[in-house]
Amino acid sequence: MIQFLLNETPQAVENCSPNMTVLEWLRTKMRQTGTKEGCATGDCGACTLLVGEEHSDGQWHYKTMNSCLLLVGNAHGKHIITVEAVTRGMHLTPEELHPVQRAMVECHGSQCGFCTPGFIMSLLALYINHEQYPGQKAVIHALGGNLCRCTGYSPILKAAEQAYEYERSQEPWSAVAKAFKQTLNQQSTSNTPSLINGQSNFLLPQSLNQLLTLKANHPEAHIVAGATDLAIEISQQLLSPKTMISVTQTPELTEVIETRSQFTIGAAAPYEKFIGQLCEHYPETAELFERLGSTQVRNGGTLGGSLGNASPIGDPAPMLIALGASIELQSLEGTKILNVEDFFIGYRETVLAENEVITKVIIPKRSANLTLACHKVTKRFEDDISTVCLAIAIEHKNHVITSVRLAMGGMAAVPKRASQMEQQLRGAKFEAQSFTTAGEYVSQDFQPLTDVRASEDYRLKVTRNLMQRVGLEFCQQIPTSLRIAHASL
Ligand SMILES: Cc1cc2nc3c(=O)[nH]c(=O)nc-3n(C[C@H](O)[C@H](O)[C@H](O)COP(=O)(O)OP(=O)(O)OC[C@H]3O[C@@H](n4cnc5c(N)ncnc54)[C@H](O)[C@@H]3O)c2cc1C
Ligand code: FES
Ligand code: FES
């Protein structure tokens, strides 16, 4: 049985397909149709809801997620808040509106209204997580995963600000969530929460030992983390796994530990849990993470999912390879640690054995003279998948490049190091021209595909241009203002 809180009502779900998303469950089983289905692929944000969970400080924190990507099993123990509760949750009469709703009405932020429930939920998350108006950049960031084809966004951005001009509302959800969690905690913890429907199962191990035992007993099972990739395979490609094992509630896989020498990031820790900490240490990675999907996607997606998916266009892999990160795999037979670049062996193929699970990603902290750059080239700035992704980390001494790790995504069947370009740089003078020269060797490293995103020629040319840019950036020949202008294109 899977238990969660829907607005103020506890739910115990048993007879439900493990493939079902919370969106489908809400609309078809609960007949709550305020949450809309636009794309069903995590791209439009119409299905956005708030998902609350208890943090180690005992407080409940609420974040936006796409309900079209949230499998019902992954809702266990969570507090789901839908658009229907936005007003009801304040104990107001239905005629009275929450400040974000009132602002959307008064600023004319809605025309056809299809996207509006999703915008309301994203604005609500912003409102409850920021006591003061956080500024337009934060609003744009929060709304990056919500598309509107009618209003042109300006009224919506205005509404985000105007909501702060009314008397501030206090959300009453924490008390009901705490009571629900207390009841859940009093129940037996020996059983693995699960959804079993005919031949298919969804299992939620609550410890690493439970997880590894389940994987040993069900080697064919699909591991599920945030399901931002897997839910799409289920809904669009009709994948119907017999058994799914969710790692989202295995504490050892969701923790993030920072020591003097490294970050150890649980394979099932959502991006939003660690990117603040990581980007403080490696500010050069901030834009890459900011542009990885949308806020909703980063609130669910994980490094374990990105690496496990082994997509050649996943953004984290080139950066992890450039930083010399390693990946930990575990099974009941033991633990293996290997370099991220050695994990991939072919298109969507990895060395992961059937009984193994990715448990951690270990990222070393920077050496004293490390210089790093990460670039993602896409058709649009927000919420788009990479055409080409490049990450390069070098060290230099006495104007000579002493070490280099250069990795690329979107250029081969796997995220891969550029060994020829690296060789050109190693021992070369630390000057912009060395990077431009190394870029000329790109076709010795890669023979990229022509596909819907770009042609082979474009990918090769953009790499040469990126190498030239990296050289100018590293050698301080690009003024900061130009760098900022380029980044915001
Ligand atoms: C709208 C949208 C935009 C996106 N934009 C980007 C983007 O800009 N850049 C980008 O890189 N990605 C993007 N993605 C892809 C996706 O969000 C990431 O790949 C994410 O990191 C996947 O993590 P997850 O936890 O959701 O994985 P899941 O979907 O849960 O799993 C993905 C795969 O990994 C396996 N897996 C998961 N965890 C483990 C584990 N611990 N051990 C072994 N196997 C495991 C699963 O079995 C599955 O095969 C986007 C996705 C969507 C829907
Ligand atoms: S329906 Fe479009 S993001 Fe979920
Ligand atoms: S108001 Fe119509 S899509 Fe946004």
Side-chain angles (χ1 to χ4, degrees), residues 23 36-47 66 68:
L23 175 64
K36 300 289 182 256
E37 176 168 354
C39 62
T41 54
D43 288 292
C44 75
C47 67
N66 297 117
C68 67

Side-chain angles (χ1 to χ4, degrees), residues 90-119:
M90 288 179 65
H91 305 298
L92 295 175
T93 59
E95 288 75 32
E96 290 176 284
L97 297 173
H98 186 281
V100 297
Q101 293 174 314
R102 186 176 156 194
M104 279 286 272
V105 173
E106 291 182 2
C107 296
H108 305 286
S110 175
Q111 285 184 30
C112 81
F114 206 79
C115 66
T116 310
F119 273 101

Side-chain angles (χ1 to χ4, degrees), residues 2 18 20 22 70-77 195 202 204 246 248-249:
I2 294 297
M20 192 174 272
V22 169
L70 180 60
L71 296 173
V72 169
N74 267 349
H76 182 76
L195 266 183
F202 188 101
L204 268 153
S246 173
T248 54
Q249 303 204 353

